[in-house]
Every structure is written in C-alpha cells, then in structure tokens.
Amino acid sequence: MNHFLDIHKTDAADLRSMIDQAAKTKQARAGQPKAAVDEDQPLKDRMVALIFEKPSTRTRVSFDVGVRQMGGQSMVLSGKDMQLGHGETIADTARVLSRYVDMIMIRTFDEAVLTEMAEYADVPVINGLTDRTHPCQIMADILTYEEHRGSIKGKKVVWAGDGNNVCASFLHAAGQFGFDLTFTGPAQLDPEEEFMGFARQKGSTVVIERDAFKAVEGADLIVADTWVSMHDAQSAKERRHNMLRPYQVNDELMSHAKPDALFMHCLPAHREEEVTSAVMDGSQSVIFDEAENRLHAQKAIMRWCLGS
C-alpha cells in the first residue's frame, strides 16, 4: 500500500514512473469518448472516497472522471456532510472509511488532517491539496511541460508571485525531477526555507530574485497563481494586490524569457491580476493542457497507490 502525500515523500523513480504511465495511458485513450472505460480497468470493483473540505472544480471532476475511466466507482463527500474532525476524530473516520472504500483522496486545509488520515487508514490516501502543498497539480504540470518541450531535467522554472502551497510542491519537484527554480515575489511571501532547502539538497539551484524581469531571463517555464484566496478579507486582498502588482505575468515579462518559454497556471485565474488575458490565451500558454493533465496524472497516481 502506497500513500501519495507529497512529492518529496515519494521516491523519485516512482514519480518518474507515474509521469511515464500518465503519458502512455493518455495516448492510449486519444480519440475515445470521455466516459469510455480503460481497457485494463485497473480500478474494477474498487470504491474510492473523494473528500472535499475545500471547494474544487478541477480536482473534483478529474478524480471522479479518472476513477470511472479506470473502471471503479467514486463517492464524493464534503466536509459539511461528515463528522470529520468535529463529532469524530480524524483517526476514527480513517478507520471507518477503510472498511468501506479501497482508496481515499482528501482535499483539506490543515496538513495535519491529511497526515492523521494516512496514519490511521488501512487504504491508500492521496493528497488532493492542503494549505502547505499541492502535489497532484505539479505532477500534471511536469507531464504538460514534457509533452511540449521534452524532459524538464536541467530546465529553468520561474515562479512569479506568492510562495504558496503550489510553489512549495514545485520546489519539491525541482529536487525530485532535477530542474532549477527561481522565485520572484515580495520578501513577505517567500517560500518556506524547508521547501527551498529540500530542492537544494537534491542538487537543484534555487534562487530568489526580486526583479521579475531579471528573474525570467533564460526561463523555460513561467508559473503564476492567484494573489488572493477566497477566504481573505477585503483589506488583505488590497494589500496583496499592491504588494504583488510588480510580479504580474504579462507580454512584456514573457518577452524577457526564452522565446519558446511556456506559461502555466493551476487555475482558477483572476485575469488581469496575476496574469493578463493576452498571456493566458496566447501561444505560449498551456493552461488548458495542464488542466486536462490533472486527469491523466492522477490516474497514474491512483494506479501506483494500488500497485497496479
């Protein structure tokens, strides 16, 4: 039994195997209807619980469709529908769910909820997102980059904006897949030292550059994310906008990167804030390939979790 909790907690060879598997199964499904079941049905007779304490579009739909394409069944649960951490401990919920389902995906706030679920579950647990990391997203991003440009090893990735949970998983991926990462953003929003330290220990070059235009010089990939959360107060949103405005990804910034640099965003995006529509809809953007690849990458993750 394998849990998929974080990129830095998973063996690099296994991560590479998942990316290769995702590419292979995506190609095998080319041209098929979305509801067609994969020929080998690796989740046949399996039930997967999909737990959402946070709202979701891509995570919810991609996991649900992925389970069905693999021949399994899914049960979508929201935090308000359950006694998760309220009327019942996380540990007891994990024990109970293990009697009903074959795998658990959870999208939650506190990382401790994820780790306690994994500790007490008798079935594989997948991190669909926490406030600290978002590993499934970055697996899709690696798959997307390599579809368009070949191996990501040795490439330069630039993260522009807030050193948030998605940025954290990109740093983990830098160490595991062997690429370099430059962070450009205000000092108040730097990534945690722990995340940068992991990538550096693995041999990746991690740089902080406050000047966004200098940061993107020689970049193979530029990545952005929203500046504010739906849970932020209005005053906090205004402060963040003022702080992050110099790091907007626009045509001028993209022009300072390599001519064939790609742009990614995990979505949803706030157009004309962290990125302009001209970039999002431009020829260097692969955001919708990236969104689609959540499906294929997560199917490979689920296969790996069940050893199939």
Side-chain angles (χ1 to χ4, degrees):
M1 182 182 71
N2 299 309
H3 297 307
F4 186 76
L5 303 183
D6 269 314
I7 287 173
H8 69 303
K9 295 178 180 178
T10 308
D11 185 79
D14 288 337
L15 294 169
R16 170 47 58 190
S17 177
M18 288 181 233
I19 296 295
D20 293 343
Q21 176 69 51
K24 177 182 175 182
T25 54
K26 179 180 180 179
Q27 184 177 18
R29 284 192 61 88
Q32 292 189 34
K34 302 296 191 295
V37 179
D38 293 341
E39 186 175 351
D40 58 350
Q41 298 187 51
L43 290 186
K44 184 179 180 181
D45 299 327
R46 305 273 193 168
M47 176 65 73
V48 181
L50 307 176
I51 303 173
F52 294 91
E53 287 197 292
K54 279 191 170 187
S56 171
T57 298
R58 278 148 293 277
T59 301
R60 175 168 181 163
V61 176
S62 57
F63 265 108
D64 198 0
V65 172
V67 171
R68 298 181 193 206
Q69 287 185 354
M70 297 167 77
Q73 297 185 55
S74 59
M75 177 187 300
V76 179
L77 304 166
S78 71
K80 64 182 180 181
D81 294 333
M82 305 173 66
Q83 295 172 321
L84 192 66
H86 304 294
E88 184 173 57
T89 66
I90 305 300
D92 286 351
T93 298
R95 292 183 178 107
V96 169
L97 287 178
S98 297
R99 302 295 182 100
Y100 299 142
V101 304
D102 299 289
M103 184 158 44
I104 299 167
M105 188 288 302
I106 182 167
R107 179 180 174 93
T108 187
F109 294 90
D110 191 346
E111 185 182 50
V113 173
L114 169 75
T115 54
E116 187 173 347
M117 182 73 73
E119 181 180 356
Y120 290 96
D122 294 326
V123 298
V125 174
I126 297 172
N127 177 0
L129 175 141
T130 71
D131 285 343
R132 292 199 80 206
T133 59
H134 196 1
C136 288
Q137 176 65 55
I138 275 52
M139 292 295 283
D141 294 353
I142 301 298
L143 174 62
T144 305
Y145 183 86
E146 295 194 342
E147 279 182 341
H148 287 268
R149 297 289 186 265
S151 175
I152 199 168
K153 186 174 183 179
K155 303 300 183 181
K156 178 180 177 179
V157 175
V158 175
W159 180 275
D162 179 4
N164 61 11
N165 53 351
V166 187
C167 180
S169 288
F170 244 115
L171 283 161
H172 290 153
Q176 298 290 55
F177 288 95
F179 59 86
D180 300 324
L181 190 142
T182 295
F183 172 81
T184 186
Q188 300 94 314
L189 299 177
D190 280 352
E192 291 184 29
E193 284 291 340
E194 176 186 338
F195 302 140
M196 294 189 288
F198 173 83
R200 287 169 175 152
Q201 288 170 9
K202 290 286 187 175
S204 298
T205 299
V206 177
V207 174
I208 293 178
E209 172 55 67
R210 302 297 173 205
D211 186 321
F213 292 96
K214 289 181 180 178
V216 301
E217 290 177 0
D220 298 286
L221 171 63
I222 298 174
V223 191
D225 197 1
T226 54
W227 289 346
V228 297
S229 167
M230 67 182 74
H231 308 289
D232 290 340
Q234 184 60 36
S235 58
K237 292 178 181 180
E238 291 171 2
R239 286 196 302 274
R240 277 179 165 258
H241 277 108
N242 292 333
M243 190 188 308
L244 287 160
R245 195 164 288 113
Y247 302 99
Q248 182 191 69
V249 181
N250 49 41
D251 283 338
E252 185 181 4
L253 186 67
M254 291 296 296
S255 72
H256 284 70
K258 286 184 177 178
D260 65 345
L262 297 178
F263 171 75
M264 290 189 187
H265 191 301
C266 63
L267 302 179
H270 297 162
R271 288 171 178 260
E272 314 311 330
E273 292 185 11
E274 71 272 8
V275 57
T276 62
S277 290
V279 171
M280 284 186 67
D281 300 326
S283 61
Q284 292 171 278
S285 173
V286 291
I287 58 172
F288 297 113
D289 292 342
E290 185 185 0
E292 178 192 344
N293 282 339
R294 290 291 303 279
L295 168 65
H296 307 295
Q298 288 158 187
K299 287 171 67 177
I301 290 167
M302 288 188 281
R303 276 180 176 268
W304 175 79
C305 285
L306 293 174
S308 61

